[in-house]
Amino acid sequence: MKTTELKITGAEAVIQSLKAEGVKTIFGYPGGAIMPIYDALFHHLEEVNHILTRHEQGAVHAAQGYARTSGKTGVVFATSGPGATNLITGLADALIDSTPLVCITGQVASHLLGTDAFQETDVMGISMPVTKWNFQVTKAEDIATTLAKAFYIASSGRPGPVLVDITKDAQFEAIEFSYQKCNSVRSYQPRPKLNEEQVQVAANLLNEAKKPLMIVGQGIMLSNAEEELLDFVEKTGIPVASTLLGLGAFPSHHPLFVGMVGMHGNYAPNVKTNECDVLLAVGMRFDDRVTGDVSRYATQAKVVHVDIDTAEINKIIKADAPVVADAKEALTVLTDLVEKQNHQQWLDEFHQAKQNELKVLSENREKEFSDELRMDLVIDLLSQKTKGNAIVVTDVGQHQMMAAQFYQYNQTKSNVTSGGLGTMGFALPAAIGAKMANPEKQVVAIIGDGGFQMTLQELGTMMQNNIGVKIIILNNGYLGMVRQWQQMFFEKRYSFTDIQSPDFVALAASYNIKGQKVERQEELNNALDQLLNTENAYLLEVKVAREDNVFPMIPTGASVAEIRLQ
């Protein structure tokens, strides 16, 4: 699509470029160096909605939540200096979790670059390690082509964040404007050509397998391969496990779904990883939280690894059949090549192990915390009441792992969390973005008392824009995951993990958000009904057992087969 040429300012060119890319929502925070762009935006508010967050980190996390649940590219505005540096955590989070973002920062005038001018920071140098691509624009004539390239790079191949820094003089400069969408960049090949020989090798291994196991990651959702995955699995009968970010790619209620792998994943898929004869990994990168001790990870198995990013193949685990490809394309071809099979006896082993896991965990928790509210009870009941169809946004910590274990994700793109970076404070702003992208869906943010206090100022964003996110704070008075490690590995030396909190319900009320606190099991059912049935935003604080721990757990340095239930 090419727009008609006309003379406008660089700032106006930014807005026209975003409109040409179909951008409807921007998250941001104005300041001196980006003021011309905000002035241009003022004239387009009927077409482009801007959400004023309370912090630039909130803006980038909100854009992540928007992108992760919509499949679109999230867009962020920030000013120079501290505005730009406040984006860095979110950029790092988006890069490692493959989230497409275009962040546009203002910069001091080009003649001031390198002079330590007011609010000047070398955002190019700072952001380079945490972006897929970054570029500084000093001439208005480069704005349109740079933004077109930014959107293409951010959303193609393995998605990621892009940052475009625009000097103030370039924003004021007048130019003849036209816009052409970008469809290719020289030397950048985001979609690798499928190697049919390797796919045939993979198919042969799967056809011969007696105990195959499939692990799916977020790559399934990034390539929109959910239907292809379902067709493949139902033909092959292979048990399917998920990474943390892969939850929702395959329905949790499906009989072939066997749970989550990883440090706090389910017992069966972790143990069976070291018993399977063929391990098929699609759209995942063998993160250290998944593998445990790499030297003892699936050493008995033939490994088929499907990933769009060549850099991930053989990086951690050597693949016997490496397939560098888009997940959707690879699964489509594989489905034609594999034989229809049934692995019921092998599958039964997973189900038996799952029942044993639930029995042991339930008995231990009932024995230790019989009269107290527990995180697993809250999340299990929430899952039942929403039928696994809500968008659940979690922060980082014990509640995150409990939500991964006990919420039954039955919708794609419904599990939003900070995986690779583990960013506390992620959930509240990310839930705002998710709700903006999905106003018709129930969006529930599950947050610990520690993480909530890192970005609670975004309650102001919810208030000002009437964003109906439902917030559940699981309050145990600790930085729970760190405390658990201190209990298990540091002889209960709880060094600075006891955390005091304000009255969360009163705090919410000050932002015109209704809420309540529950401390007894008999109060929980009605409280969750109130939360879910309230039309607008709602905050529910649940006082949970202080020293409840997350199990299963694979200790650091252990093998996946050494997973502990207690």
Side-chain angles (χ1 to χ4, degrees):
M1 185 184 89
K2 191 169 183 177
T3 62
T4 309
E5 292 194 1
L6 65 160
K7 199 150 193 175
I8 58 176
T9 66
E12 178 68 19
V14 170
I15 307 304
Q16 293 293 347
S17 298
L18 295 180
K19 287 168 62 178
E21 289 289 344
V23 173
K24 302 295 184 184
T25 303
I26 299 167
F27 302 91
Y29 205 98
I34 200 171
M35 207 177 296
I37 291 175
Y38 269 91
D39 186 59
L41 177 63
F42 185 81
H43 302 288
H44 298 273
L45 296 181
E46 290 186 1
E47 305 145 285
V48 182
N49 185 23
H50 179 276
I51 302 299
L52 174 66
T53 57
R54 296 304 183 263
H55 192 283
E56 291 87 357
Q57 183 178 347
V60 70
H61 290 329
Q64 287 178 270
Y66 184 91
R68 293 264 291 271
T69 57
S70 69
K72 300 176 182 178
T73 299
V75 179
V76 178
F77 282 175
T79 195
S80 63
T85 60
N86 282 344
L87 298 178
I88 298 301
T89 296
L91 290 169
D93 195 289
L95 183 67
I96 200 166
D97 283 352
S98 306
T99 306
L101 302 178
V102 171
C103 297
I104 298 170
T105 54
Q107 184 55 276
V108 300
S110 54
H111 72 278
L112 293 174
L113 290 172
T115 67
D116 293 331
F118 177 67
Q119 290 193 333
E120 181 199 356
T121 301
D122 178 13
V123 69
M124 290 292 97
I126 293 171
S127 65
M128 186 178 292
V130 292
T131 52
K132 188 176 177 184
W133 181 66
N134 69 1
F135 191 80
Q136 187 172 71
V137 176
T138 59
K139 296 180 180 178
E141 64 189 35
D142 296 328
I143 286 174
T145 54
T146 300
L147 287 177
K149 186 176 178 181
F151 275 91
Y152 175 65
I153 291 174
S155 60
S156 59
R158 179 179 178 175
V162 168
L163 185 140
V164 177
D165 193 46
I166 307 175
T167 60
K168 199 167 184 177
D169 52 323
Q171 297 172 46
F172 280 121
E173 186 183 353
I175 52 161
E176 297 285 341
F177 174 78
S178 65
Y179 192 86
Q180 182 74 45
K181 280 197 173 186
C182 180
N183 295 309
S184 66
V185 174
R186 189 173 61 182
S187 78
Y188 170 59
Q189 297 178 326
R191 192 181 180 92
K193 181 174 169 48
L194 185 71
N195 185 320
E196 294 184 5
E197 289 183 9
Q198 288 295 348
V199 178
Q200 186 61 64
V201 171
N204 293 342
L205 289 173
L206 292 166
N207 288 333
E208 296 166 4
K210 303 301 181 187
K211 293 184 174 184
L213 173 61
M214 184 177 191
I215 303 177
V216 297
Q218 188 188 200
I220 296 291
M221 292 176 280
L222 293 175
S223 66
N224 297 308
E226 294 89 344
E227 288 187 16
E228 288 76 11
L229 172 63
L230 190 61
D231 291 343
F232 172 82
V233 171
E234 293 189 339
K235 182 177 183 181
T236 60
I238 297 177
V240 180
S242 172
T243 65
L244 174 63
L245 292 188
L247 289 170
F250 192 77
S252 294
H253 65 265
H254 196 285
L256 288 169
F257 183 70
V258 295
M260 183 178 74
V261 293
M263 177 175 281
H264 288 291
N266 296 108
Y267 182 83
N270 275 300
V271 169
K272 299 300 180 185
T273 296
N274 277 14
E275 296 178 15
C276 67
D277 54 6
V278 176
L279 181 65
L280 169 60
V282 181
M284 56 86 75
R285 58 188 179 84
F286 289 111
D287 173 76
D288 62 291
R289 288 292 171 110
V290 166
T291 63
D293 181 359
V294 173
S295 69
R296 293 183 286 164
Y297 183 81
T299 55
Q300 80 296 333
K302 296 291 185 181
V303 176
V304 179
H305 190 186
V306 180
D307 201 281
I308 199 168
D309 188 353
T310 308
E312 294 298 342
I313 303 294
N314 294 325
K315 186 176 85 173
I316 308 296
I317 300 297
K318 187 181 184 305
D320 298 278
V323 180
V324 183
D326 173 76
K328 190 184 190 80
E329 182 184 9
L331 286 172
T332 300
V333 176
L334 263 178
T335 302
D336 289 336
L337 296 175
V338 293
E339 300 165 359
K340 186 168 180 62
Q341 296 197 54
N342 183 300
H343 298 283
Q344 191 59 51
Q345 187 173 350
W346 169 237
L347 184 64
D348 288 343
E349 293 183 30
F350 285 87
H351 293 323
Q352 289 166 10
K354 175 69 172 178
Q355 292 307 311
N356 182 59
E357 173 190 326
L358 291 174
K359 181 174 182 291
V360 171
L361 294 180
S362 178
E363 287 177 353
N364 287 347
R365 288 188 175 120
E366 284 294 335
K367 180 180 178 182
E368 195 165 354
F369 307 106
S370 58
D371 298 326
E372 296 181 80
L373 268 170
R374 306 192 313 266
M375 290 177 279
D376 60 308
L377 296 177
V378 178
I379 294 163
D380 184 55
L381 188 55
L382 175 70
S383 184
Q384 293 176 41
K385 287 182 177 294
T386 58
K387 297 180 170 58
N389 292 324
I391 293 175
V392 175
V393 187
T394 56
D395 216 82
V396 173
Q398 290 181 311
H399 69 277
Q400 177 190 33
M401 295 297 109
M402 289 286 192
Q405 289 181 21
F406 289 95
Y407 194 86
Q408 301 300 304
Y409 296 92
N410 290 320
Q411 298 291 325
T412 186
K413 298 181 176 70
S414 63
N415 165 46
V416 183
T417 195
S418 174
L421 198 65
T423 305
M424 289 180 69
F426 173 87
L428 185 61
I432 290 171
K435 187 65 176 177
M436 293 300 300
N438 304 270
E440 77 290 351
K441 292 186 179 180
Q442 190 78 266
V443 176
V444 182
I446 301 174
I447 315 177
D449 45 320
F452 185 74
Q453 291 184 77
M454 287 195 169
T455 51
L456 58 79
Q457 68 272 11
E458 299 306 333
L459 291 174
T461 306
M462 290 172 57
M463 175 184 67
Q464 184 166 348
N465 297 280
N466 194 28
I467 300 172
V469 169
K470 309 301 170 62
I471 303 164
I472 299 176
I473 300 175
L474 299 180
N475 185 353
N476 58 14
Y478 278 116
L479 303 178
M481 187 62 85
V482 184
R483 184 213 56 78
Q484 177 172 335
W485 280 56
Q486 288 174 336
Q487 176 184 337
M488 296 177 67
F489 307 116
F490 293 88
E491 299 176 342
K492 293 190 177 182
R493 291 187 293 273
Y494 295 166
S495 181
F496 298 97
T497 45
D498 185 304
I499 184 169
Q500 294 186 7
S501 301
D503 183 333
F504 289 126
V505 176
L507 180 70
S510 73
Y511 286 97
N512 296 327
I513 295 171
K514 294 180 180 178
Q516 65 173 307
K517 178 166 71 173
V518 299
E519 300 186 57
R520 297 190 299 274
Q521 290 186 19
E522 57 269 24
E523 300 172 323
L524 182 61
N525 187 71
N526 288 341
L528 284 175
D529 285 340
Q530 182 75 33
L531 172 102
L532 295 171
N533 294 331
T534 299
E535 183 177 351
N536 298 317
Y538 195 89
L539 183 145
L540 174 62
E541 179 187 357
V542 185
K543 296 285 285 187
V544 293
R546 290 207 77 197
E547 296 192 21
D548 191 8
N549 289 329
V550 181
F551 287 103
M553 179 180 183
I554 302 170
T556 300
S559 157
V560 290
E562 296 172 323
I563 187 168
R564 295 166 55 173
L565 291 177
Q566 54 190 337

